[in-house]
Amino acid sequence: MVKQYLTLYALFFLATSLVSFFVTFLAWQRRSEKGAKELVYLMFAAGVWSFLILLETNSATMVEKIFWSKLAYFGALSTPLFYLIFALRFTGKDKFISRRNIMFLFIIPAIVLVLTFTNESHRLIWTGFSGISDETNMMEYYHGIGFWIGYVSYTYILFIVATIYLFSFIFRHTKTLRLQGLIVFIGGLLPWTASIIYLSGNNPVPGLDLVPVSIILTGILFAYAVLYMNLLNLAPIARRTLVETLSDGILALDGQNRIQDINRAALTFLGISDKTVIGLQIESVEVTNSYLMNAVIDPKSLIQTKVQQDDVLKTFSVTKQAIKDHAGSRLVIISDITKQIRAEERLSKLTNCLLQFGSDKNSNINSLVTLCGEELGATCALYNKLESGMLLTQGQWQAPSDFRAIDSANGHLCYDVIKLGGDDPLIIRNLQTTDYLHSDPNVSAYGLQTYIGIAVKYQKKAIGSLCAVYQDDVVP
């Protein structure tokens, strides 16, 4: 009868050990990824714990059981601590994982371990033991104050801290990352629940330590997450910088060019319609903007590229920055700098125009008017000066052959701009539906739709206007 039960419990602990070591192997294969080393430590400690409990379960004498139980405390004390460290790494709290902090966290486990091996002198860990069951070959351990304070309380504190960070992470992140955080949380919750059952006296099999048994479920969860959910590939190394509201496109790539995170702007710029690209190699993702994709993949830290989008030639800046402590990972920022480049080009043209000024005033004025019309893409551009109630056109670009260069100022758009004398341009669209259709003869004569004009001042007084007009409805 003993042999039958012994085999059953031994299988439980053997399976737990094998699953733990299997997850350890999976994590070790991915040891370059964030959190992989911490998961190796966690699952290896859990596997050692389970294996030593297996030996305790199979032991036939009290002395042997106590011996293996003492050794099992190496795994029992380190597993909760490694779980906290793994949770901190997973949730991006790397600043807390310093050598000094880890050594500090190991102080209490080290003390408990010493008390365990010297228990016969003080009985602070175990106050006594039951007899060995003839049916299960199990022995119950009666615990002392050192166990309750140094092991139970400390372990629960570690788990509570890990839970706080994991819950914060779960509620803060996107669906994929949130599900991974939930798996890490449940994986830690299972041994904690088993511990409560074991310590509360509700253990279905007296003397059977359920905590190592529960680790088989934790290991299965972690193995599934590693194999099918890229648990170690998608830890949030830069999520706080990937703000969805940013106009810049931002994505994080790991050393193997897998997308760790991406915001909406980057999806739009690259022309990615499938939003479920997390974890995929960027080269395998279908995009409509191949030129920009090539710039993202290019190892150069800064690239400018011109791309035709929606019949508009746009200029993008692609900047890459290495992510600290993650070899090969980088943050890629895609910025639409079309307006900036356009402004720089206009400033350069204006500078060249001014540098070419000569002694001929009318020629200088016409050069400025021409530049204004060309840069604004107008139908026509004019500089009108107000003199004695008349508008005198002193500079023009693409003016119609029958255009009247001298006319009464009243009712003209340019006259109203001069009267207002503001520092901001006056923009009027849909001119055909305004009173200017009847008051300004040029609006009806040339079918003008849009007007952009600004007052020209001398000694803070408006003396004329520079304008650009369009025969189409234009949004400046």
Side-chain angles (χ1 to χ4, degrees):
M1 191 69 170
V2 172
K3 186 177 180 180
Q4 180 181 357
Y5 276 93
L6 192 61
T7 303
L8 177 62
Y9 299 132
L11 286 175
F12 267 120
F13 290 116
L14 179 60
T16 299
S17 299
L18 291 176
V19 170
S20 298
F21 291 140
F22 175 66
V23 179
T24 301
F25 173 72
L26 292 179
W28 179 254
Q29 286 186 314
R30 296 159 174 81
R31 56 188 178 277
S32 62
E33 307 290 349
K34 179 176 181 178
K37 291 182 180 178
E38 288 75 17
L39 185 57
V40 167
Y41 301 148
L42 169 61
M43 297 312 298
F44 183 76
V48 169
W49 184 11
S50 298
F51 184 74
L52 292 172
I53 291 296
L54 162 65
L55 297 177
E56 187 272 346
T57 303
N58 282 335
S59 298
T61 67
M62 180 179 293
V63 173
E64 290 176 344
K65 287 183 177 294
I66 295 174
F67 172 76
W68 292 119
S69 292
K70 286 181 178 181
L71 291 180
Y73 262 66
F74 280 103
L77 291 166
S78 58
T79 298
L81 186 51
F82 286 135
Y83 176 73
L84 172 62
I85 295 173
F86 174 67
L88 290 174
R89 182 75 74 188
F90 178 81
T91 55
K93 306 299 180 182
D94 298 27
K95 61 182 180 180
F96 298 126
I97 312 175
S98 65
R99 180 174 298 181
R100 179 180 178 181
N101 289 343
I102 293 175
M103 290 179 64
F104 176 78
L105 290 173
F106 267 107
I107 291 175
I108 292 180
I111 294 173
V112 173
L113 192 62
V114 171
L115 292 176
T116 301
F117 277 89
T118 60
N119 183 73
E120 290 77 11
S121 302
H122 46 71
R123 298 192 179 278
L124 292 175
I125 302 299
W126 298 308
T127 59
F129 313 93
S130 72
I132 299 176
S133 171
D134 293 333
E135 294 185 351
T136 64
N137 198 46
M138 296 291 180
M139 181 179 75
E140 293 187 68
Y141 294 75
Y142 305 127
H143 299 103
I145 190 171
F147 172 83
W148 294 106
I149 296 176
Y151 176 69
V152 175
S153 299
Y154 188 66
T155 296
Y156 287 1
I157 290 172
L158 295 178
F159 184 79
I160 290 171
V161 173
T163 300
I164 291 173
Y165 285 118
L166 284 169
F167 265 117
S168 175
F169 172 83
I170 289 168
F171 288 112
R172 243 183 19 244
H173 288 80
T174 56
K175 183 177 179 181
T176 302
L177 294 176
R178 186 180 298 133
L179 185 56
Q180 291 181 356
L182 190 60
I183 286 177
V184 174
F185 169 70
I186 294 174
L189 180 64
L190 291 172
W192 193 33
T193 304
S195 175
I196 293 175
I197 296 174
Y198 173 70
L199 297 172
S200 64
N202 296 317
N203 199 339
V205 181
L208 176 64
D209 191 347
L210 296 174
V211 178
V213 176
S214 67
I215 292 175
I216 190 172
L217 298 177
T218 299
I220 291 172
L221 278 175
F222 285 176
Y224 176 82
V226 169
L227 291 172
Y228 300 107
M229 296 185 63
N230 297 313
L231 175 66
L232 298 177
N233 297 335
L234 300 178
I237 59 177
R239 180 60 196 173
R240 287 192 177 184
T241 62
L242 302 185
V243 183
E244 293 296 333
T245 56
L246 288 178
S247 58
D248 288 341
I250 305 179
L251 64 156
L253 300 176
D254 66 7
Q256 301 177 44
N257 274 352
R258 289 173 295 198
I259 300 175
Q260 297 177 326
D261 218 331
I262 186 168
N263 70 349
R264 293 177 185 174
L267 290 171
T268 301
F269 288 156
L270 293 169
I272 299 175
S273 57
D274 184 5
K275 297 182 180 180
T276 59
V277 294
I278 303 296
L280 299 180
Q281 283 195 314
I282 193 167
E283 296 91 340
S284 67
V285 177
E286 184 176 348
V287 301
T288 59
N289 196 334
S290 58
Y291 290 103
L292 193 55
M293 173 64 82
N294 291 336
V296 169
I297 300 173
D298 194 297
K300 295 178 182 176
S301 59
L302 178 61
I303 294 177
Q304 279 192 13
T305 182
K306 293 184 181 294
V307 177
Q308 194 77 23
Q309 278 191 351
D310 302 325
D311 298 327
V312 177
L313 184 63
K314 293 187 176 182
T315 304
F316 289 92
S317 169
V318 181
T319 307
K320 295 137 195 160
Q321 183 175 356
I323 299 174
K324 187 178 179 181
D325 298 329
H326 300 280
S329 296
R330 58 206 181 278
L331 196 64
V332 182
I333 303 174
I334 307 172
S335 303
D336 184 351
I337 59 172
T338 305
K339 292 182 179 179
Q340 175 186 335
I341 295 298
R342 189 70 177 132
E344 291 174 355
E345 291 174 349
R346 286 175 174 173
L347 180 60
S348 177
K349 290 181 179 179
L350 178 59
T351 301
N352 290 333
C353 178
L354 295 175
L355 290 174
Q356 293 174 10
F357 273 7
S359 58
D360 187 342
K361 179 184 70 173
N362 291 329
S363 175
N364 295 339
I365 292 174
N366 275 308
S367 294
L368 282 174
V369 173
T370 298
L371 179 62
C372 173
E374 289 176 345
E375 290 304 306
L376 294 179
T379 302
C380 172
L382 304 168
Y383 167 64
N384 292 312
K385 186 177 181 182
L386 181 64
E387 289 187 3
S388 303
M390 303 294 288
L391 282 179
L392 309 178
T393 302
Q394 295 189 342
Q396 56 182 273
W397 173 76
Q398 291 192 170
S401 57
D402 59 346
F403 174 72
R404 297 176 60 180
I406 302 176
D407 199 3
S408 173
N410 287 327
H412 279 265
L413 283 156
C414 286
Y415 180 52
D416 288 348
V417 169
I418 297 170
K419 286 193 299 181
L420 289 172
D423 294 326
D424 297 322
L426 175 66
I427 302 172
I428 302 177
R429 297 170 57 196
N430 301 314
L431 288 171
Q432 298 295 315
T433 63
T434 67
D435 293 339
Y436 290 110
L437 176 65
H438 306 291
S439 65
D440 190 329
N442 295 321
V443 173
S444 58
Y446 304 114
L448 301 181
Q449 291 285 352
T450 305
Y451 174 91
I452 303 175
I454 190 168
V456 177
K457 297 181 181 181
Y458 176 72
Q459 294 183 346
K460 298 183 179 180
K461 180 181 178 181
I463 61 171
S465 68
L466 178 63
C467 71
V469 294
Y470 304 80
Q471 291 177 323
D472 297 317
D473 182 31
V474 175
V475 180

